Amino acid sequence: MATRRTTSLLKRLFASHSRLNQTRSVTYMHRPGDGTPRAVTLIPGDGVGPLVTGSVEQVMEAMHAPVYFEKFDVHGDMKAVPAEVIESIKKNQVCLKGGLATPMGGGVSSLNVQLRKDLDLYASLVNCFNLPGLPTRHDSVDIVVIRENTEGEYSGLEHEVVPGVVESLKFCSERIAKYAFEYAYLNNRKKVTAVHKANIMKLADGLFLESCREVAANYPGIKYNEIIVDNCCMQLVSKPEQFDVMVTPNLYGNLVANTAAGIAGGTGVMPGGNVGAENAVFEQGASAGNVGDNKVVEQKIANPVALLLSSAMMLRHLQFPAFADRLETAVKRVILEGQHRTKDLGGTSTTQEVTDAVIAALE
């Protein structure tokens, strides 16, 4: 009974919020020509990638969104991302992609990492937040994890000194700190937390903290604090609501982002993207499960919510805010109503059934 009352209340609140959203404002004045359709490079990828990118294509078509896709067949077992794909992304400056499978060991490089390095997508952003109607252990979770994408352990600067001895180099610059504080400033966020292991990695992580402190001094209106990554993981699972924006080196950020996503509802519903000075690639926010297993692919039950919300981020990036709002509102309405959910969210719906529900919920 209590659950039904809570769900009913949430639906009334959402309906009220939707009515408020329908009140048009004049806060966005486009420039002449902004409605021209934009080309977006599309990489369906491996595993569940074609399923979830196909969902995005259908929803974009149903909305008549001013984007069209240049689709490329890229897979994680290739030796490199084809040159024509890199050229397309540099031309369009925006890409939407599914997961690319990464072989374990054997000296085979990850194409996901190669793509970020070739395009200098140095900042990864994952937004982990509670979705109304989706029960989780913690409420009031709204965390943005900003992770360095091209440096640190993922820079790939490693070699075998002598047989059986491998040396890995780690370096960091201040640009990820600058991006994190700029993001917090532009999005009215109140606190930035630097995640580190400077108690052990005194020089490398010490340099990271030094950069964060220097940048923080330029943003007196934003609270800044630091936390060791061990304690951070414990605090995330016990009191995640204390975090706002988190800035991390590469390796820690991967762990923190996936942990935060699990706390807020699962990797299947968390959006994200990667950005540099010139290009942006949008994909499922948390990397765990972004390729899926064969059973999920065969049964066609991949959750498209994360990539749909990432697509809303992409539409805002392209300065199509009304389309982004429509898409995000439709996805949240489907989650709230609870009738169409994939297995990872406790439901029995297929990818196509969730897609159809989102399309039906578009306003």
Side-chain angles (χ1 to χ4, degrees), residues 148 151-155 157 168-174 176-177 194-213 224 226 247-252:
E148 210 298 318
E151 300 174 354
E153 293 84 353
Y154 281 43
S155 62
L157 297 176
S168 178
L169 302 179
K170 177 176 179 177
F171 71 99
C172 63
S173 63
E174 68 176 6
I176 193 63
V195 183
H196 67 94
K197 190 65 176 173
N199 58 324
I200 303 299
M201 309 285 288
K202 296 184 183 296
L203 295 180
D205 282 19
L207 180 60
F208 167 70
L209 289 183
E210 183 180 324
S211 299
C212 289
R213 291 165 188 167
Y224 170 70
E226 300 167 359
V247 58
T248 80
N250 207 323
L251 179 60
Y252 312 150

Side-chain angles (χ1 to χ4, degrees), residues 126-145 183 189 232-246 256-267 269-271 309 328 332:
V126 181
N127 190 188
C128 304
F129 56 94
N130 293 121
L131 284 164
L134 186 63
T136 58
R137 185 180 297 273
H138 299 280
D139 297 323
S140 303
V141 177
D142 186 8
I143 302 170
V144 174
V145 180
Y183 175 89
R189 294 280 182 158
C232 173
C233 293
M234 188 272 289
Q235 294 289 336
L236 266 175
V237 299
S238 59
K239 294 185 291 184
E241 62 278 355
Q242 69 183 286
F243 296 107
D244 190 354
V245 174
M246 307 176 76
V256 168
N258 281 279
T259 301
I263 290 165
T267 59
V269 294
M270 298 302 146
L309 292 176
E328 187 173 328
K332 289 181 176 179

Side-chain angles (χ1 to χ4, degrees), residues 100-123:
L100 294 173
T102 301
M104 299 296 179
V108 180
S109 299
S110 165
L111 294 194
N112 297 294
V113 174
Q114 183 205 328
L115 199 60
R116 296 164 193 161
K117 292 177 69 175
D118 287 352
L119 299 171
D120 196 24
L121 305 172
Y122 67 86

Side-chain angles (χ1 to χ4, degrees), residues 48-340:
V48 302
L51 283 173
V52 294
T53 55
S55 173
V56 172
E57 288 184 276
Q58 292 178 60
V59 174
M60 291 291 182
E61 183 178 356
M63 286 199 302
H64 304 291
V67 298
Y68 61 94
F69 294 106
E70 296 179 357
K71 189 183 297 188
F72 293 90
D73 194 25
V74 182
H75 299 285
D77 58 0
M78 292 179 171
K79 291 184 178 180
V81 177
E84 59 268 24
V85 178
I86 300 294
E87 291 171 6
S88 173
I89 298 174
K90 288 182 176 180
K91 172 177 65 73
N92 299 329
Q93 298 185 311
V94 178
C95 172
L96 181 72
K97 67 179 284 288
L100 294 173
T102 301
M104 299 296 179
V108 180
S109 299
S110 165
L111 294 194
N112 297 294
V113 174
Q114 183 205 328
L115 199 60
R116 296 164 193 161
K117 292 177 69 175
D118 287 352
L119 299 171
D120 196 24
L121 305 172
Y122 67 86
S124 165
L125 186 151
V126 181
N127 190 188
C128 304
F129 56 94
N130 293 121
L131 284 164
L134 186 63
T136 58
R137 185 180 297 273
H138 299 280
D139 297 323
S140 303
V141 177
D142 186 8
I143 302 170
V144 174
V145 180
I146 294 178
R147 160 195 173 199
E148 210 298 318
N149 234 358
T150 58
E151 300 174 354
E153 293 84 353
Y154 281 43
S155 62
L157 297 176
E158 57 182 12
H159 62 280
E160 190 171 37
V161 182
V162 295
V165 178
V166 174
E167 183 178 58
S168 178
L169 302 179
K170 177 176 179 177
F171 71 99
C172 63
S173 63
E174 68 176 6
R175 59 182 183 173
I176 193 63
K178 289 182 176 179
Y179 184 83
F181 277 93
E182 186 176 51
Y183 175 89
Y185 172 68
L186 293 174
N187 289 275
N188 194 31
R189 294 280 182 158
K190 306 304 182 185
K191 181 171 70 172
V192 173
T193 301
V195 183
H196 67 94
K197 190 65 176 173
N199 58 324
I200 303 299
M201 309 285 288
K202 296 184 183 296
L203 295 180
D205 282 19
L207 180 60
F208 167 70
L209 289 183
E210 183 180 324
S211 299
C212 289
R213 291 165 188 167
E214 289 178 358
V215 176
N218 298 321
Y219 293 87
I222 299 174
K223 183 179 178 181
Y224 170 70
N225 67 341
E226 300 167 359
I227 188 169
I228 296 174
V229 64
D230 319 40
N231 185 31
C232 173
C233 293
M234 188 272 289
Q235 294 289 336
L236 266 175
V237 299
S238 59
K239 294 185 291 184
E241 62 278 355
Q242 69 183 286
F243 296 107
D244 190 354
V245 174
M246 307 176 76
V247 58
T248 80
N250 207 323
L251 179 60
Y252 312 150
N254 193 17
L255 306 177
V256 168
N258 281 279
T259 301
I263 290 165
T267 59
V269 294
M270 298 302 146
N274 310 279
V275 67
E278 297 180 355
N279 306 295
V281 174
F282 295 87
E283 58 187 336
Q284 178 176 309
S287 60
N290 66 347
V291 174
D293 57 37
N294 291 334
K295 185 178 294 186
V296 172
V297 176
E298 292 169 0
Q299 296 178 359
K300 298 183 179 180
I301 55 174
N303 191 345
V305 168
L307 200 64
L308 287 170
L309 292 176
S310 297
S311 300
M313 288 176 58
M314 180 188 75
L315 289 170
R316 289 197 182 94
H317 180 79
L318 291 170
Q319 297 186 343
F320 299 136
F323 287 92
D325 291 344
R326 287 178 61 202
L327 175 52
E328 187 173 328
T329 300
V331 170
K332 289 181 176 179
R333 179 173 288 117
V334 170
I335 293 294
L336 177 63
E337 291 175 349
Q339 300 301 310
H340 299 89

